[in-house]
Amino acid sequence: MIARTPKGSSEGATEIRAEAVSRSFGAHAVLRGIDLEVLRGQIVAIVGASGSGKTVFLDILTALMRPDRGRVMVADHSRPGSPLVDLLALSPEELDRLRMHWSIVFQRNALFTGSVYDNIALWLREHTEMPEDQIRQRVRESLKAAALDVDDVIRKDREELSGGMAKRVAIARAIAVRPKVIFYDEPTTGLDPIISGQIHELIFNNHHESGDGEARTTLVITHDKELLRRVRPRVVMLHQGRIAFDGTYEEFTESRSPVAEEYLRSMPVLQARDESLPAWGGRARTRVK
């Protein structure tokens, strides 16, 4: 077990608030009026069976998709005091500034063709004024934080990476920007138990070690029961487009809700279903999760 008392955050400060968020595809309603508030510094796991709307909800929270109804309020760390702003009301330029403080680790990692160094350095080159020597140092620090042998991996090409190595590079890229919020989309799908355990450690450590001394917020979409056991997040379960459970890990595992009990039994099967996914490819959009 790696859980410990969560680090402090600005007490009561809201990082993300979804209000009556709904989304349908044709006649199929995927999200049916979701209300969820995530406080700064929390680590939250969003779980639920395939088709429950997890990935659609993540896409709406990160402004990759618009809801049909409802809104999402998020803390804007580009402004003094980090006020809450409505994602739907932001201009493209304002949204870009907001996203400077976010990172997303995609299910299939979304590494582009090229070296590990370039995958991590590109964002820093394009969005900061850091000189190349500082970028090089930041890349090395991030790879080390992702438990990688820096000198061994830094010049490797994407196609040379194993599944576990590619996932850690994706995490290194995410933390290199020192984000206030990290979103993970099924971070251990397709990985063996040993590598998955290493990813659990990275998620936990990177949540608690933000690099700037301020609270970091983490949201994880997952089927990984062992990740929940080790990290002990707040658990939010979606079922038929609604929140069926919201509470601590302990409350989740002890729940007498038939829906929660059935999902807990099925989690290992759901986690194993996508083990044939490639380590580095682009993000699939063929399923609603």
Side-chain angles (χ1 to χ4, degrees):
M1 183 190 305
I2 57 178
R4 64 171 181 251
T5 302
K7 71 178 181 180
S9 62
S10 301
E11 186 174 354
T14 299
E15 186 67 54
I16 301 170
R17 185 168 69 226
E19 300 175 353
V21 168
S22 298
R23 176 72 193 203
S24 297
F25 295 90
H28 178 45
V30 178
L31 300 177
R32 304 168 183 262
I34 298 290
D35 293 306
L36 179 69
E37 184 170 30
V38 176
L39 300 183
R40 200 165 303 165
Q42 286 188 325
I43 180 166
V44 179
I46 300 176
V47 304
S50 296
S52 61
K54 301 186 304 299
T55 294
V56 171
F57 190 43
L58 177 65
D59 285 350
I60 289 172
L61 294 182
T62 54
L64 295 175
M65 184 183 294
R66 294 175 67 91
D68 296 326
R69 292 179 300 280
R71 66 176 184 171
V72 177
M73 306 294 293
V74 298
D76 185 353
H77 294 284
S78 69
R79 303 182 187 182
S82 304
L84 290 180
V85 296
D86 185 347
L87 277 183
L88 295 180
L90 298 180
S91 68
E93 293 76 17
E94 290 170 328
L95 189 56
D96 285 344
R97 287 196 295 271
L98 180 77
R99 285 174 168 157
M100 294 282 285
H101 302 279
W102 293 354
S103 285
I104 305 174
V105 179
F106 294 105
Q107 181 178 343
R108 298 196 190 182
N109 306 322
L111 302 180
F112 60 78
T113 300
S115 71
V116 166
Y117 180 83
D118 287 335
N119 264 275
I120 301 174
L122 179 63
W123 189 96
L124 299 172
R125 289 172 179 154
E126 292 191 345
H127 298 287
T128 75
E129 298 180 356
M130 293 173 64
E132 194 65 24
D133 61 334
Q134 291 184 18
I135 290 174
R136 188 177 302 109
Q137 181 62 29
R138 180 74 65 83
V139 170
R140 294 183 67 87
E141 290 172 355
S142 300
L143 289 170
K144 183 178 180 181
L148 286 161
D149 183 329
V150 177
D151 292 327
D152 176 63
V153 76
I154 194 167
R155 294 299 173 189
K156 285 184 182 292
D157 194 78
R158 180 188 71 175
E159 284 78 4
E160 298 178 76
L161 303 175
S162 67
M165 195 175 289
K167 181 62 67 179
R168 282 179 282 176
V169 170
I171 293 174
R173 181 176 60 184
I175 63 178
V177 307
R178 296 185 177 171
K180 301 296 185 183
V181 187
I182 299 185
F183 302 90
Y184 296 88
D185 188 0
E186 300 197 24
T188 57
T189 292
L191 303 179
D192 66 50
I194 293 176
I195 299 299
S196 292
Q198 295 171 354
I199 301 304
H200 302 161
E201 294 275 354
L202 289 178
I203 290 171
F204 183 84
N205 290 338
N206 289 320
H207 174 74
H208 287 277
E209 298 166 10
S210 64
D212 59 8
E214 295 188 12
R216 174 176 285 162
T217 306
T218 302
L219 275 78
V220 187
I221 304 293
T222 188
H223 285 310
D224 190 342
K225 190 174 183 178
E226 185 66 8
L227 186 155
L228 301 186
R229 185 189 70 81
R230 301 187 77 208
V231 176
R232 305 295 175 100
R234 172 186 172 190
V235 179
V236 175
M237 181 183 173
L238 300 185
H239 178 67
Q240 297 182 348
R242 296 184 172 89
I243 292 179
F245 177 88
D246 184 355
T248 67
Y249 165 78
E250 290 78 10
E251 290 169 340
F252 184 56
T253 57
E254 295 170 4
S255 173
R256 293 296 176 262
S257 162
V259 172
E261 288 183 331
E262 175 60 27
Y263 178 70
L264 279 163
R265 286 192 295 268
S266 67
M267 284 184 82
V269 175
L270 293 168
Q271 174 66 9
R273 283 173 63 177
D274 295 329
E275 289 191 352
S276 62
L277 288 173
W280 47 261
R283 190 180 189 192
R285 291 288 180 185
T286 56
R287 293 174 296 157
V288 174
K289 295 182 179 179

